[in-house]
Amino acid sequence: MAKKKSRTPTATSSKAAKAATDDDFVGKRIRIERATWDAISLTAREQMKDLDDITEEAFRDLLKKYGRTADFREALKMSARQATGKPAHRRPRKKR
């Protein structure tokens, strides 16, 4: 029986993920429609990334969309912004 290839963080992952061990990863089996899978697979090939990188990026974007984060420090910053009433996202000023 062949050993499973262990997942190690890539150079593009955050500092927190670099320190992660195999115990820090969770596996979940999901079902995806064929058309969605084909689009994800094509995107991964075009970006020269593996499926793990693509899904991590997608879940980070999903958490950001709903104002959540997996990073503890970022969660503290978001909480402080809410407590002080400052907007979470500032719009860049237009250059004249």
Side-chain angles (χ1 to χ4, degrees):
M1 179 181 239
K3 284 187 173 181
K4 285 187 177 180
K5 182 180 174 184
S6 67
R7 167 86 169 105
T8 57
T10 63
T12 59
S13 60
S14 68
K15 290 179 184 178
K18 288 181 183 178
T21 64
D22 284 340
D23 293 337
D24 293 332
F25 292 96
V26 176
K28 182 70 177 172
R29 189 171 180 171
I30 60 173
R31 293 176 55 183
I32 301 175
E33 291 179 354
R34 174 58 67 182
T36 304
W37 173 256
D38 291 341
I40 291 169
S41 179
L42 179 62
T43 302
R45 282 184 272 143
E46 288 175 347
Q47 299 293 318
M48 294 173 41
K49 296 179 180 179
D50 62 2
L51 183 62
D52 290 341
D53 293 335
I54 294 290
T55 54
E56 284 180 27
E57 182 179 341
F59 283 121
R60 278 193 307 270
D61 291 347
L62 181 69
L63 289 170
K64 188 175 184 179
K65 175 183 174 182
Y66 289 104
R68 303 271 182 156
T69 181
D71 181 31
F72 180 70
R73 288 181 188 224
E74 186 62 28
L76 286 176
K77 289 177 187 177
M78 291 170 67
S79 176
R81 283 187 209 119
Q82 288 176 347
T84 60
K86 292 183 182 178
H89 300 287
R90 294 184 181 176
R91 288 190 218 166
R93 292 184 177 187
K94 292 182 180 179
K95 293 183 181 180
R96 294 180 183 193

